[in-house]
């Protein structure tokens, strides 16, 4: 059942806003009919639809998928063969587990922070050898890094009891921030499975090179997703 | 997916996952804009998918699952150092696009079509460039829609984003792509245009 988006007669502005979804045949029948009815009565929009149909035909004709180069499949098979015998062991390895970068980054960040905390205000860095720092206030989601990378739902992440899985902060664009452990709330955020799916707003110093935040303040943004 | 002997697990993974290597490579190429990086990304995504193959639910769409892993791998590997998302002045570009469509294809009853003028007038390299210049979140959705012809629901599943976000990104992505192609055509003098609609803000000569 497709959702309804158009709860009133459409005008030309609506038509142009929804025309791509009309072309893709992704609208509910009632919405589709409203747009078609409008184009039947509006010559400008009918011609606009023709122009967009023409553009779409041209795009589909020129945007063809490129085949993978010869040899890539063999390369992947060979890599999988090397991976397979030790897959189980590696999956649990601290070195290869992606979320462990949170801890590694935390250790590294601690070293980087020493000169920063001693002699330089946050956000004022930039010279050679000093970490670049951005002050950020952002609403993010706490996720289990390993599980989230594979698309596991929040329910699955909450149920995951793999002690080696650590939490990270997920941004709206799908990227992740690691959390430096040097804050009273940080350990819970990184270690606590029950927080997965929680939306929190963090004020923090962000280290782009490490994709890591040094928390300043944390508050709950909303109920769990 | 149930665990079996290591070779059975790998055989099963290869059987269901490797047939999608062309689609994965194509998306990887659009994301990385570089063939070598695309090959590395595909290999890394396959290895990551294999490691987590036990979490794949047999019978669900594996292509969407692989796409999701490939894109997550890309974001973590290639965008790790990027602090801000790419930004474009969409409203401004859309306004110029609408004006150019109006002036070139709607104003006269027997006006030429975008397919015959723009799409026949631009080079393959210019289409690739226009695609490469799209912000990543739009580019991914446009590739999945126009090249792979996935449904909105499949795209939403692959990217773990709401349906409304798919619609919004697709609208903006297609508009930006077509605006960039119109700009190439304007520079060649085959369409009229008041000023540049290039996302980089290039001004008319």
């Amino acid at each position: 059942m497709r959702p309804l988006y158009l709860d009133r007669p459409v005008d030309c502005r609506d038509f142009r806003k929804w025309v791509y979804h009309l072309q893709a045949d992704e609208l509910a029948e009632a919405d589709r009919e409203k747009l078609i009815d409008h184009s039947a009565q509006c010559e400008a929009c009918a011609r606009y639809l023709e122009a967009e149909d023409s553009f779409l035909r041209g795009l589909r004709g020129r945007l063809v998928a490129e085949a993978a180069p010869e040899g890539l499949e063999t390369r992947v098979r060979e890599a999988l063969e090397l991976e397979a015998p030790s897959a189980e062991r590696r999956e649990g390895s601290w070195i290869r587990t992606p979320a462990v970068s949170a801890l590694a980054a935390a250790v590294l960040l601690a070293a980087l922070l020493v000169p920063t905390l001693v002699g330089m205000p946050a956000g004022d860095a930039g010279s050679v050898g000093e970490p670049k720092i951005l002050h950020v206030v952002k609403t993010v989601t706490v996720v289990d890094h390993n599980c989230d990378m594979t698309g596991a739902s929040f329910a699955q992440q909450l149920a995951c009891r793999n002690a080696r899985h650590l939490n990270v902060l997920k941004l709206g664009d799908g990227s992740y921030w690691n959390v430096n452990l040097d804050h009273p709330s940080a350990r819970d955020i990184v270690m606590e499975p029950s927080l997965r799916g929680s939306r929190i707003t963090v004020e923090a110093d962000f280290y782009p090179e490490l994709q890591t935040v040094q928390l300043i303040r944390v508050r709950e943004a909303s109920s769990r997703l | 997916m149930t665990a079996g002997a290591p070779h059975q697990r790998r055989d099963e993974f290869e059987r269901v996952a490797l047939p999608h290597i062309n689609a994965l490579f194509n998306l990887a190429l659009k994301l990385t804009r570089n063939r070598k990086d695309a090959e590395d990304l595909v290999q890394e995504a396959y290895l990551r998918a294999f490691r987590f193959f036990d979490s794949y639910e047999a019978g669900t769409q594996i292509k969407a699952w692989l796409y999701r892993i490939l894109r997550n791998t890309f974001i973590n590997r290639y965008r790790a150092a990027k602090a801000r998302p790419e930004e474009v002045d969409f409203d401004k570009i859309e306004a110029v696009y609408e004006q150019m469509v109006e002036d070139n294809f709607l104003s006269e009853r027997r006006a030429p079509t975008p397919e015959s003028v723009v799409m026949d007038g631009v080079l393959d390299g210019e289409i690739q460039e226009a695609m490469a210049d799209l912000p990543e979140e739009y580019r991914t959705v446009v590739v999945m829609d126009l090249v792979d012809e996935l449904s909105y629901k499949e795209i939403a599943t692959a990217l773990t984003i709401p349906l409304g976000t798919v619609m919004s990104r697709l609208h903006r992505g297609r508009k930006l792509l077509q605006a960039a192609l119109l700009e190439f055509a304007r520079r060649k003098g085959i369409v009229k245009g008041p000023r540049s609609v290039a996302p980089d803000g290039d001004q008319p000569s």
Side-chain angles (χ1 to χ4, degrees), chain A:
Chain A
M1 186 78 178
R2 287 172 174 160
L4 288 169
Y5 296 103
L6 300 166
D7 57 359
R8 56 185 165 75
V10 301
D11 56 21
C12 298
R13 189 183 166 88
D14 294 325
F15 188 85
R16 290 171 192 220
K17 180 178 173 186
W18 292 97
V19 67
Y20 293 156
H21 312 310
L22 176 68
Q23 288 180 312
D25 195 20
E26 289 277 358
L27 296 175
E29 185 62 24
D31 285 347
R32 198 178 74 82
E33 276 183 17
K34 283 180 184 170
L35 293 168
I36 295 292
D37 286 350
H38 175 81
S39 67
Q41 297 160 15
C42 174
E43 192 185 341
C45 285
R47 294 173 70 186
Y48 187 82
L49 178 60
E50 281 177 21
E52 288 292 353
D53 279 345
S54 167
F55 235 134
L56 183 59
R57 276 195 306 275
L59 281 171
R60 285 204 195 281
R62 298 287 296 275
L63 281 175
V64 289
E66 271 198 63
E70 219 172 298
L72 181 58
E73 184 172 329
T74 304
R75 181 179 149 186
V76 170
R77 283 183 191 277
E78 288 170 354
L80 289 170
E81 193 173 348
L82 287 174
E83 178 83 3
S86 53
E88 290 303 313
R89 179 168 51 78
R90 286 184 180 189
E91 190 176 339
S93 160
W94 278 95
I95 293 172
R96 294 189 66 90
T97 301
V100 167
S101 59
L103 282 179
V107 172
L108 182 54
L109 183 55
L112 289 169
L113 275 175
V114 172
T116 308
L117 295 176
V118 170
M120 186 172 55
D124 198 25
S127 58
V128 175
E130 293 166 343
K132 183 180 176 187
I133 308 167
L134 301 169
H135 181 258
V136 294
V137 178
K138 196 94 175 167
T139 299
V140 295
T141 309
V142 180
V143 298
D144 172 333
H145 194 177
N146 292 59
C147 290
D148 199 71
M149 288 283 289
T150 68
S153 68
F154 291 128
Q156 290 171 315
Q157 294 184 28
L158 279 166
C160 175
R161 284 295 172 266
N162 187 328
R164 294 190 177 99
H165 284 198
L166 300 178
N167 299 337
V168 294
L169 306 179
K170 187 174 188 180
L171 282 73
D173 66 359
S175 59
Y176 301 99
W177 283 350
N178 300 312
V179 180
N180 183 32
L181 293 176
D182 187 19
H183 184 276
S185 301
R187 191 164 293 275
D188 279 349
I189 290 173
V190 173
M191 306 287 189
E192 180 52 58
S194 66
L195 287 178
R196 292 165 187 165
S198 300
R199 295 277 289 164
I200 58 173
T201 300
V202 298
E203 180 184 355
D205 289 331
F206 174 56
Y207 293 72
E209 288 80 5
L210 299 171
Q211 284 291 289
T212 297
V213 285
Q214 166 77 19
L215 299 176
I216 299 170
R217 264 182 288 277
V218 183
R219 65 181 166 80
E220 191 176 357
S222 67
S223 57
R224 185 179 306 286
L225 289 175

